[in-house]
Amino acid sequence: MAKDKDKDSQSYESELETKVNDAKIVRKFVFIILSSFIFLIAVGIASGYFYIKSALKPVDPDSKEEIVIEIPLGSTSTEIANTLEENGLIKNSKIFRFYLKFKNYSDFQAGEYTLTPSLTLNEIITELQSGKIMEEPIYRITIPEGKNIEQIAAVFAHKLSFSTEEFLEVVNDESEIENLMDQYPFLLTDDVLNNDLYMPLEGYLFAGTYDIFEEEPSIESIIQMMLERTNEIMQSKIEEVDESGFSVHEVLTLASVIERESKFSEDRPKVAQVYINRLDDNMKLQSDITAFYGLKNLKHKAVVTYDDIEVDTPYNTYVIDGLPVGPIASPSVESIEAVLEPEGKDFSKLFYFSRPNGETFYSDTLEEHNQIKEEYRHEWYELENQDAEDESED
């Protein structure tokens, strides 16, 4: 009997141990399944987020291609979205429709539209609602990238019914700036109220092509039109701005310097990285173009002099530490992106030198940099002399 009891006890313990082991296996299996499921959900959410984020951006921010589409009378939002996607004006028709519902947009106008892949969803929607694009613009004015506010004012004044001086008066009016700050709180911060700024909105008026449908547009409407474009661009890059460690004002400031200092697309991320490396090493940026801007009203020169770089201004990066107090011109999207996505920390160069033809050399040491300058700086003196001759002939 005792032996039978021992056998029963051993059998029970063995069965209990088996059940415990089975339970452990089941729990481990359930844990693996749940972990995999949660991981797949997380990957799906992240992928969906980045896919939607990408779909909300312009198809090609730099494209100037004009695409004509026809929106028939009575078209549904699905038909409009499909037409836009088929013509390469949006990335995804379904997301466009969801965006319309989310924003409660409707009342699109039938007709023929000329749009470009560089338009944001909001710009496309505005055009389809207003029907303005069905008309020929009265004015089509292009502001070249890298122009400062005085040059921008002169371009508009040449085409429209106001003077350069009138434009400058409005764009620098304190009450107007405060009104615009209320409209664009993300873009226009207290940075633009710094008394050291020569032009509070310098760098904030986006350089691009503008269609104007009024015979005599107000200066205020033009300024707002340009700010709207910059605001949309910077809003679309809000995460990159946060990750950069720069404020919006600082991004536009550094981008404006890169715009003026770099001629070719491939050099802009490199030049941006050089400046970031110098900032990280507490070195002065020493940008010629900032010294020129700080001198005010000085016509562009090809060669910087010792007298130029010794003038103490809030823009002269030969004198001040860090970035200039504000932008010196209107940067392109490309230069803005160079600040937000520079070449990378592996590109450790601290100096660069550009020839008049745009070819740029990068170096690690001042000695190497000076050798490059010695070899090519005569080209800048020749350009300076040629510019002087051209001016005398005019």
Side-chain angles (χ1 to χ4, degrees), residues 104-128:
N104 198 28
Y105 287 133
S106 59
D107 299 324
F108 298 117
Q109 303 291 321
E112 186 176 272
Y113 293 81
T114 303
L115 306 174
T116 72
S118 64
L119 294 175
T120 64
L121 294 193
N122 280 338
E123 287 175 324
I124 291 174
I125 291 166
T126 298
E127 297 296 353
L128 296 178

Side-chain angles (χ1 to χ4, degrees), residues 18 73 117 130-131 182 225-226 247 279 283 287 342 346 377 390:
T18 299
L73 189 65
S130 66
D182 290 337
M225 174 178 64
M226 301 181 81
S247 66
L279 289 171
M283 297 174 65
S287 161
D346 290 340
R377 65 180 175 182
D390 293 342

Side-chain angles (χ1 to χ4, degrees), residues 115-389:
L115 306 174
T116 72
S118 64
L119 294 175
T120 64
L121 294 193
N122 280 338
E123 287 175 324
I124 291 174
I125 291 166
T126 298
E127 297 296 353
L128 296 178
Q129 286 179 323
S130 66
K132 283 183 178 177
I133 207 71
M134 295 167 64
E135 312 166 16
E136 282 294 318
I138 298 174
Y139 305 101
R140 174 165 288 179
I141 300 175
T142 297
I143 304 298
E145 296 156 346
K147 296 297 184 184
N148 61 41
I149 281 185
E150 289 190 25
Q151 294 167 324
I152 291 171
V155 172
F156 280 115
H158 180 69
K159 295 274 190 177
L160 304 176
S161 59
F162 51 76
S163 66
T164 298
E165 291 71 26
E166 288 171 327
F167 186 96
L168 294 175
E169 183 178 350
V170 174
V171 81
N172 292 314
D173 181 75
E174 187 175 343
S175 61
E176 177 65 16
I177 291 169
E178 290 175 352
N179 177 48
L180 292 168
M181 289 176 68
D182 290 337
Q183 294 183 59
Y184 302 101
F186 168 74
L187 180 68
L188 299 177
T189 65
D190 288 342
D191 288 316
V192 302
L193 299 178
N194 191 320
N195 290 328
D196 287 334
L197 292 169
Y198 293 171
M199 300 274 180
L201 298 184
E202 186 76 90
Y204 287 86
L205 306 185
F206 188 75
T209 298
Y210 293 93
D211 289 339
I212 299 174
F213 297 86
E214 299 175 64
E215 188 66 47
E216 295 187 3
S218 67
I219 296 172
E220 290 84 357
S221 68
I222 290 172
I223 293 170
Q224 186 168 350
M225 174 178 64
M226 301 181 81
L227 281 175
E228 180 67 33
R229 193 85 64 89
T230 304
N231 188 60
E232 288 177 351
I233 290 167
M234 297 309 295
Q235 284 277 11
S236 72
K237 301 181 182 300
I238 188 169
E239 288 188 6
E240 292 92 330
V241 173
D242 289 340
E243 292 170 1
S244 73
F246 292 119
S247 66
V248 170
H249 186 73
E250 289 170 332
V251 169
L252 292 174
T253 297
L254 184 51
S256 72
V257 177
I258 293 166
E259 184 67 37
R260 295 301 311 277
E261 293 277 16
S262 304
K263 188 172 184 177
F264 298 126
S265 300
E266 60 268 23
D267 283 310
R268 288 177 177 172
K270 294 183 175 70
V271 173
Q273 190 64 58
V274 168
Y275 283 131
I276 291 171
N277 291 342
R278 293 178 74 91
L279 289 171
D280 290 343
D281 287 358
N282 295 317
M283 297 174 65
K284 287 181 167 57
L285 299 189
Q286 297 183 323
S287 161
D288 291 357
I289 204 67
T290 64
F292 290 147
Y293 186 88
L295 295 174
K296 292 184 179 181
N297 300 323
L298 182 69
K299 291 184 179 179
H300 175 68
K301 302 197 308 182
V303 180
V304 66
T305 68
Y306 286 111
D307 288 340
D308 295 332
I309 65 176
E310 288 176 355
V311 179
D312 189 356
T313 76
Y315 291 90
N316 186 357
T317 54
Y318 280 91
V319 175
I320 65 170
D321 295 322
L323 295 169
V325 67
I328 59 172
S330 290
S332 62
V333 172
E334 198 173 65
S335 291
I336 292 170
E337 290 174 345
V339 175
L340 300 176
E341 298 180 27
E343 190 70 12
K345 288 296 182 183
D346 290 340
F347 189 78
S348 59
K349 307 297 183 181
L350 293 171
F351 303 89
Y352 72 91
F353 179 85
S354 298
R355 298 173 63 188
N357 65 6
E359 182 181 9
T360 303
F361 303 91
Y362 303 90
S363 49
D364 294 294
T365 66
L366 181 59
E367 181 182 7
E368 183 184 356
H369 176 65
N370 286 336
Q371 289 174 352
I372 295 169
K373 282 175 62 177
E374 186 65 28
E375 183 175 357
Y376 293 105
R377 65 180 175 182
H378 68 91
E379 296 178 347
W380 286 105
Y381 285 106
E382 291 168 3
L383 179 62
E384 179 91 341
N385 293 333
Q386 184 59 53
D387 288 345
E389 290 177 12

